[in-house]
Amino acid sequence: MNILLTGGAGYIGSHTAVELLKEGHSVTIIDNLSNSSFKVVERIEKLTNKRVSFYKEDLLYTTRLKDVLDEHKIEAVIHFAGLKAVGESVSEPLTYYKINILSTINLCESMIASGVRDLVFSSSATVYGEPIRMPIDEETPVIDATNPYAQSKAMIEKILQDLSTAQPEFNVALLRYFNPGGAHVSGDIGEDPTGIPNNLLPFISQVAVGMRDKLVVFGDDYPTPDGTCIRDYIHVVDLAKGHIAAIEKLKEKPGLVAYNLGTGTGSSVLDIIRAFESANSLTIPFVIGARRPGDIPVSYTNPALAKAELNWQTKKSIEDICRDAWNWQKRNPKGYSEP
């Protein structure tokens, strides 16, 4: 199948590209490289020994999107492109709404014009806001997202739902991720955040490699066993394979579907620190800081629907996540910025 990845040079997109190429699919990537590097594309090709068609374009402004879809005879799109920093979204809400929502509308218009009808959307578990029950399943209401980033994802989901209703031949899989971590086992591609990491595992990795003095744990007074927030951490390679399963499902089950992608197990911040130390024989210095606005105490999923309908489930452990994250970081101390 010929598949377009928007934002395909990013963290999750690059790992998905590798898994797609391994499965024999053809991959085309559009990315404006605002939060990634062309070196990622080169490493994808090195890992798979296959060519990737790459276009440096911004979905918000490009006039070439339909041409790319037509030229490469694209059959399905996986839409990763967008801004994703929760804290930044709070201080720059208009930027997040403009870029994330309008770029998606532009993409859908081009897909319709080119006759491309299958879309997998990179959504987020944050669309559930402060969930009314735990674990979170797909019947949990999507209400009261707690920040503009999450709101933009929820708004896009609603737009895609309305589009699918208006045009029943337009098929959509909404993939609501929990907390991705880890890296490709080779250490050639991994997570390389710009500035201070927003996510726990790259922050821990940067402390371990000496880029940062210590980790700040945001609060230890939550109503959890050790007082720190609990999240569902999923290996990025497992997550990438979930996208392949979703594309295949759209061919069998047209319409709009939503799936939570996670392990079904919650781990606290302190659990992850200990697992990283144990898996890599390291010590991670940390201090307890104030709570971070917008953080909820507990979030983990019930992955039963994805298992039943996609025949997908996670295979990699927390230890795999920690080991692979460190392998990437120690091989690339400064990420993709190194020669």
Side-chain angles (χ1 to χ4, degrees):
M1 196 182 307
N2 300 324
I3 300 172
L4 173 69
L5 306 185
T6 72
Y11 173 46
I12 302 172
S14 60
H15 287 81
T16 302
V18 168
E19 297 305 313
L20 286 167
L21 290 163
K22 284 170 57 179
E23 292 291 321
H25 300 288
S26 296
V27 170
T28 300
I29 290 175
I30 287 180
D31 200 303
N32 66 5
L33 301 182
S34 63
N35 194 33
S36 55
S37 168
F38 183 70
K39 291 179 182 178
V40 179
V41 179
E42 296 173 335
R43 296 190 185 188
I44 291 169
E45 293 181 330
K46 173 189 171 185
L47 283 170
T48 61
N49 198 30
K50 294 183 179 180
R51 182 178 176 276
V52 172
S53 297
F54 175 80
Y55 296 85
K56 185 181 178 183
E57 297 283 342
D58 191 317
L59 289 184
L60 197 59
Y61 304 109
T62 184
T63 59
R64 301 181 60 196
L65 187 50
K66 183 180 183 302
D67 293 337
V68 172
L69 293 165
D70 291 341
E71 178 182 345
H72 294 279
K73 297 180 172 58
I74 297 299
E75 300 166 77
V77 176
I78 305 178
H79 182 32
F80 296 105
L83 300 178
K84 62 177 184 177
V86 169
E88 183 182 61
S89 79
V90 174
S91 60
E92 300 181 37
L94 293 181
T95 300
Y96 270 67
Y97 290 130
K98 177 180 179 181
I99 290 176
N100 289 359
I101 294 172
L102 292 183
S103 63
T104 303
I105 291 173
N106 290 347
L107 172 64
C108 291
E109 288 177 340
S110 295
M111 288 177 64
I112 292 167
S114 295
V116 182
R117 294 294 185 261
D118 291 342
L119 174 66
V120 175
F121 175 55
S122 168
S123 191
S124 167
T126 59
V127 300
Y128 293 113
E130 296 194 28
I132 61 174
R133 60 177 178 268
M134 202 63 59
I136 302 167
D137 59 27
E138 290 79 1
E139 298 301 316
T140 303
V142 176
I143 54 173
D144 298 330
T146 56
N147 56 74
Y149 161 72
Q151 285 283 18
S152 74
K153 292 291 188 181
M155 289 177 180
I156 292 168
E157 285 198 6
K158 180 58 178 171
I159 290 168
L160 294 175
Q161 290 166 5
D162 290 343
L163 176 57
S164 180
T165 299
Q167 299 195 26
E169 72 279 7
F170 196 91
N171 306 311
V172 181
L174 308 173
L175 300 187
R176 296 166 180 162
Y177 310 161
F178 280 70
N179 291 61
H184 191 272
V185 68
S186 67
D188 284 341
I189 58 173
E191 188 168 8
D192 184 22
T194 301
I196 299 174
N198 291 289
N199 299 324
L200 177 61
L201 279 154
F203 206 128
I204 291 176
S205 297
Q206 289 188 3
V207 171
V209 84
M211 286 181 65
R212 306 191 183 278
D213 293 336
K214 57 183 176 295
L215 172 71
V216 178
V217 176
F218 297 113
D220 65 348
D221 58 349
Y222 286 95
T224 62
D226 65 20
T228 65
C229 291
I230 290 175
R231 297 291 183 267
D232 190 333
Y233 293 89
I234 175 175
H235 198 290
V236 66
V237 173
D238 282 334
L239 181 57
K241 291 178 179 178
H243 292 76
I244 300 175
I247 286 178
E248 293 171 349
K249 187 64 178 180
L250 287 181
K251 298 300 181 185
E252 303 171 10
K253 184 180 180 180
L256 183 138
V257 291
Y259 298 105
N260 292 344
L261 297 187
T263 66
T265 300
S267 299
S268 75
V269 174
L270 296 184
D271 287 337
I272 297 299
I273 294 172
R274 295 188 198 100
F276 195 96
E277 291 178 328
S278 175
N280 299 306
S281 300
L282 294 168
T283 299
I284 304 299
F286 68 89
V287 296
I288 304 298
R291 289 189 182 192
R292 185 170 55 181
D295 279 346
I296 61 175
V298 180
S299 176
Y300 63 95
T301 189
N302 175 355
L305 186 65
K307 181 178 180 180
E309 295 197 1
L310 300 181
N311 192 30
W312 171 91
Q313 60 184 332
T314 59
K315 296 181 179 179
K316 293 180 179 290
S317 66
I318 291 293
E319 288 70 26
D320 293 326
I321 291 174
C322 293
R323 190 180 305 111
D324 291 343
W326 174 232
N327 184 44
W328 149 256
Q329 193 72 67
K330 70 183 178 182
R331 288 169 56 90
N332 304 270
K334 298 181 180 178
Y336 295 110
S337 64
E338 294 185 308

